[in-house]
Each structure stands twice: as structure tokens, then as C-alpha cells.
Coordinates of all heavy atoms in Angstrom, one line a residue:
A1 N 44.4 -148.1 101.2 CA 45.0 -146.8 100.7 C 46.1 -146.3 101.6 O 47.2 -145.9 101.1 CB 43.9 -145.8 100.6
V2 N 45.9 -146.4 102.9 CA 46.9 -145.9 103.8 C 48.2 -146.8 103.7 O 49.3 -146.3 103.7 CB 46.4 -145.9 105.3 CG1 47.5 -145.7 106.3 CG2 45.3 -144.9 105.4
R3 N 48.0 -148.1 103.6 CA 49.1 -149.0 103.4 C 49.9 -148.6 102.1 O 51.1 -148.7 102.1 CB 48.7 -150.4 103.3 CG 48.2 -151.0 104.7 CD 47.7 -152.4 104.6 NE 47.2 -152.9 105.9 CZ 46.1 -153.5 106.1 NH1 45.3 -153.8 105.0 NH2 45.8 -154.0 107.3
Q4 N 49.2 -148.3 101.0 CA 49.8 -148.0 99.8 C 50.7 -146.7 99.9 O 51.8 -146.6 99.4 CB 48.8 -147.8 98.6 CG 48.2 -149.1 98.1 CD 47.1 -148.8 97.1 OE1 47.3 -147.9 96.3 NE2 46.1 -149.7 97.0
V5 N 50.1 -145.7 100.6 CA 50.8 -144.4 100.8 C 52.0 -144.6 101.6 O 53.1 -144.1 101.3 CB 49.9 -143.4 101.4 CG1 50.6 -142.1 101.8 CG2 48.7 -143.0 100.4
R6 N 51.9 -145.4 102.7 CA 53.1 -145.7 103.6 C 54.1 -146.5 102.8 O 55.3 -146.2 103.0 CB 52.6 -146.4 104.8 CG 51.8 -145.4 105.8 CD 51.5 -146.0 107.1 NE 52.6 -146.5 107.9 CZ 53.4 -145.7 108.6 NH1 53.1 -144.4 108.6 NH2 54.4 -146.2 109.3
A7 N 53.7 -147.4 101.9 CA 54.7 -148.2 101.2 C 55.5 -147.3 100.2 O 56.6 -147.7 99.8 CB 53.9 -149.3 100.4
Q8 N 54.9 -146.1 99.8 CA 55.6 -145.2 99.0 C 56.6 -144.3 99.8 O 57.3 -143.5 99.2 CB 54.6 -144.2 98.3 CG 53.6 -144.9 97.3 CD 52.5 -144.0 96.9 OE1 52.5 -142.8 97.2 NE2 51.5 -144.5 96.3
G9 N 56.7 -144.6 101.1 CA 57.6 -143.8 101.9 C 57.1 -142.5 102.5 O 57.8 -141.8 103.1
V10 N 55.8 -142.3 102.3 CA 55.2 -141.1 102.9 C 54.8 -141.4 104.3 O 54.2 -142.4 104.7 CB 53.9 -140.7 102.1 CG1 53.2 -139.5 102.7 CG2 54.2 -140.5 100.6
D11 N 55.2 -140.4 105.2 CA 55.0 -140.6 106.6 C 53.5 -140.2 106.9 O 53.3 -139.1 107.5 CB 56.0 -139.8 107.4 CG 55.8 -140.0 108.9 OD1 55.2 -141.0 109.4 OD2 56.2 -139.0 109.7
L12 N 52.6 -141.0 106.6 CA 51.2 -140.8 106.8 C 50.8 -141.7 108.0 O 51.1 -142.9 108.1 CB 50.4 -141.2 105.6 CG 48.9 -141.0 105.7 CD1 48.5 -139.6 105.7 CD2 48.2 -141.7 104.6
R13 N 50.2 -141.0 109.0 CA 49.8 -141.7 110.2 C 48.3 -141.6 110.2 O 47.7 -140.6 109.9 CB 50.4 -141.1 111.5 CG 51.9 -141.5 111.6 CD 52.6 -140.7 112.6 NE 53.0 -139.4 112.0 CZ 53.0 -138.3 112.6 NH1 52.7 -138.1 113.8 NH2 53.4 -137.2 111.9
L14 N 47.6 -142.7 110.7 CA 46.2 -142.8 110.7 C 45.7 -142.9 112.1 O 46.1 -143.8 112.8 CB 45.7 -144.0 109.8 CG 44.2 -144.3 109.8 CD1 43.5 -143.2 109.1 CD2 44.0 -145.6 109.1
I15 N 44.7 -142.1 112.4 CA 44.0 -142.1 113.7 C 42.6 -142.6 113.4 O 41.9 -141.9 112.7 CB 44.0 -140.8 114.4 CG1 45.4 -140.3 114.7 CG2 43.2 -140.9 115.8 CD1 45.4 -138.8 115.2
L16 N 42.3 -143.8 113.9 CA 40.9 -144.3 113.8 C 40.1 -143.9 115.1 O 40.6 -144.2 116.2 CB 40.9 -145.8 113.6 CG 41.6 -146.3 112.4 CD1 41.8 -147.8 112.5 CD2 40.8 -146.0 111.1
A17 N 38.9 -143.4 114.9 CA 38.1 -143.0 116.1 C 36.8 -143.6 116.0 O 36.2 -143.7 114.9 CB 38.0 -141.5 116.2
G18 N 36.3 -144.1 117.1 CA 34.9 -144.7 117.2 C 35.0 -146.2 117.5 O 36.0 -146.9 117.3
A19 N 33.9 -146.6 118.1 CA 33.7 -148.0 118.5 C 32.9 -148.7 117.4 O 32.0 -148.1 116.8 CB 33.1 -148.1 119.8
P20 N 33.0 -150.0 117.3 CA 32.2 -150.8 116.3 C 30.7 -150.7 116.8 O 30.4 -150.7 117.9 CB 32.7 -152.2 116.4 CG 34.0 -152.1 117.0 CD 34.0 -150.9 117.9
D21 N 29.8 -150.6 115.8 CA 28.4 -150.5 116.0 C 27.9 -152.0 116.0 O 27.8 -152.6 114.9 CB 27.7 -149.7 114.9 CG 26.2 -149.6 115.1 OD1 25.7 -150.2 116.0 OD2 25.6 -148.8 114.3
A22 N 27.6 -152.5 117.2 CA 27.1 -153.9 117.3 C 25.9 -154.2 116.5 O 25.6 -155.3 116.1 CB 26.9 -154.3 118.7
D23 N 25.1 -153.2 116.2 CA 23.8 -153.3 115.5 C 24.0 -153.3 114.0 O 23.0 -153.5 113.2 CB 22.8 -152.3 115.9 CG 22.4 -152.4 117.4 OD1 22.4 -153.6 117.9 OD2 22.1 -151.4 118.0
S24 N 25.2 -152.9 113.5 CA 25.4 -152.8 112.0 C 26.2 -154.0 111.5 O 27.3 -154.2 111.9 CB 26.1 -151.5 111.8 OG 26.5 -151.4 110.4
P25 N 25.6 -154.6 110.5 CA 26.3 -155.7 109.8 C 27.5 -155.3 109.1 O 28.4 -156.0 108.8 CB 25.3 -156.4 108.9 CG 24.2 -155.4 108.7 CD 24.2 -154.5 109.9
A26 N 27.6 -154.0 108.7 CA 28.7 -153.4 108.0 C 29.8 -152.9 108.9 O 30.9 -152.5 108.4 CB 28.2 -152.3 107.1
A27 N 29.6 -153.0 110.2 CA 30.6 -152.5 111.1 C 31.9 -153.3 111.1 O 31.9 -154.5 110.8 CB 30.1 -152.5 112.6
I28 N 33.0 -152.6 111.2 CA 34.3 -153.3 111.3 C 34.5 -153.9 112.6 O 34.3 -153.2 113.6 CB 35.5 -152.3 111.0 CG1 35.3 -151.6 109.6 CG2 36.8 -152.9 111.1 CD1 36.2 -150.4 109.3
P29 N 34.7 -155.2 112.7 CA 34.8 -155.9 114.0 C 36.0 -155.4 114.8 O 37.0 -154.9 114.3 CB 35.1 -157.3 113.6 CG 34.7 -157.5 112.2 CD 34.9 -156.1 111.6
Q30 N 35.8 -155.4 116.1 CA 36.8 -154.9 117.1 C 38.2 -155.6 116.8 O 39.2 -155.0 116.9 CB 36.4 -155.1 118.5 CG 37.4 -154.5 119.5 CD 36.8 -154.4 120.9 OE1 35.6 -154.3 121.0 NE2 37.7 -154.3 121.9
A31 N 38.1 -156.9 116.6 CA 39.4 -157.7 116.3 C 40.2 -157.1 115.1 O 41.4 -157.0 115.2 CB 39.1 -159.2 116.1
T32 N 39.4 -156.7 114.1 CA 40.1 -156.1 112.9 C 40.7 -154.8 113.3 O 41.8 -154.5 112.9 CB 39.1 -156.0 111.8 OG1 38.5 -157.3 111.5 CG2 39.7 -155.3 110.5
L33 N 40.0 -154.0 114.0 CA 40.5 -152.7 114.4 C 41.7 -152.8 115.3 O 42.7 -152.1 115.2 CB 39.4 -151.9 115.2 CG 38.2 -151.4 114.3 CD1 37.1 -151.0 115.2 CD2 38.7 -150.3 113.4
T34 N 41.7 -153.8 116.2 CA 42.8 -154.1 117.1 C 44.1 -154.5 116.2 O 45.2 -154.0 116.5 CB 42.5 -155.1 118.1 OG1 41.4 -154.7 118.9 CG2 43.7 -155.4 119.0
A35 N 43.8 -155.3 115.2 CA 44.9 -155.8 114.4 C 45.5 -154.6 113.6 O 46.7 -154.5 113.4 CB 44.4 -156.9 113.4
W36 N 44.6 -153.7 113.1 CA 45.1 -152.6 112.3 C 45.9 -151.7 113.2 O 47.0 -151.1 112.8 CB 43.9 -151.8 111.8 CG 43.2 -152.4 110.6 CD1 43.6 -153.5 109.9 CD2 42.0 -152.0 110.1 NE1 42.7 -153.8 108.9 CE2 41.7 -152.9 109.0 CE3 41.1 -151.0 110.4 CZ2 40.5 -152.8 108.2 CZ3 39.9 -150.9 109.6 CH2 39.6 -151.8 108.6
A37 N 45.5 -151.5 114.5 CA 46.2 -150.6 115.4 C 47.6 -151.1 115.7 O 48.4 -150.4 116.2 CB 45.4 -150.4 116.6
A38 N 47.8 -152.4 115.5 CA 49.2 -153.0 115.7 C 50.1 -152.6 114.6 O 51.3 -152.8 114.8 CB 49.0 -154.5 115.9
E39 N 49.6 -152.2 113.5 CA 50.5 -151.8 112.4 C 51.2 -150.5 112.6 O 50.6 -149.6 113.3 CB 49.7 -151.7 111.1 CG 49.1 -153.0 110.6 CD 48.4 -152.9 109.3 OE1 48.8 -152.1 108.5 OE2 47.4 -153.7 109.1
P40 N 52.4 -150.3 112.1 CA 53.1 -149.0 112.3 C 52.3 -147.8 111.7 O 51.7 -147.9 110.6 CB 54.4 -149.2 111.4 CG 54.5 -150.6 111.2 CD 53.1 -151.2 111.3
G41 N 52.2 -146.7 112.5 CA 51.6 -145.5 112.0 C 50.1 -145.5 112.2 O 49.4 -144.6 111.7
I42 N 49.5 -146.6 112.8 CA 48.0 -146.7 112.9 C 47.7 -146.6 114.4 O 48.3 -147.4 115.2 CB 47.5 -148.0 112.3 CG1 48.0 -148.2 110.9 CG2 45.9 -148.0 112.4 CD1 47.6 -147.2 109.9
E43 N 46.7 -145.8 114.8 CA 46.3 -145.7 116.2 C 44.8 -145.8 116.2 O 44.1 -145.1 115.5 CB 46.8 -144.4 116.8 CG 46.3 -144.2 118.2 CD 46.8 -142.9 118.8 OE1 47.4 -142.1 118.1 OE2 46.5 -142.6 120.0

């Protein structure tokens, strides 16, 4: 959704907070979070 909004030219910045929960199979892996943070407007 954030990528779609940014592709429309809207200056939307995303701040992600929190660490992955190692005990949760649904947790977003740290490598994925790191890759997302490398995208423009994502921290």
C-alpha cells in the first residue's frame, strides 16, 4: 500500500517500529525489514 501511494507521487513516509518476534511464525524477518528500510521514504 505504501509503495502504491508513493508511486502516485504522494510524499508518504513510513516509520516501522518494533523488532521481529522470534517466537512468532507470522513475524516479518529482520532481513525483510532491513530491505524495506533501504527503500526511499522507509525507516
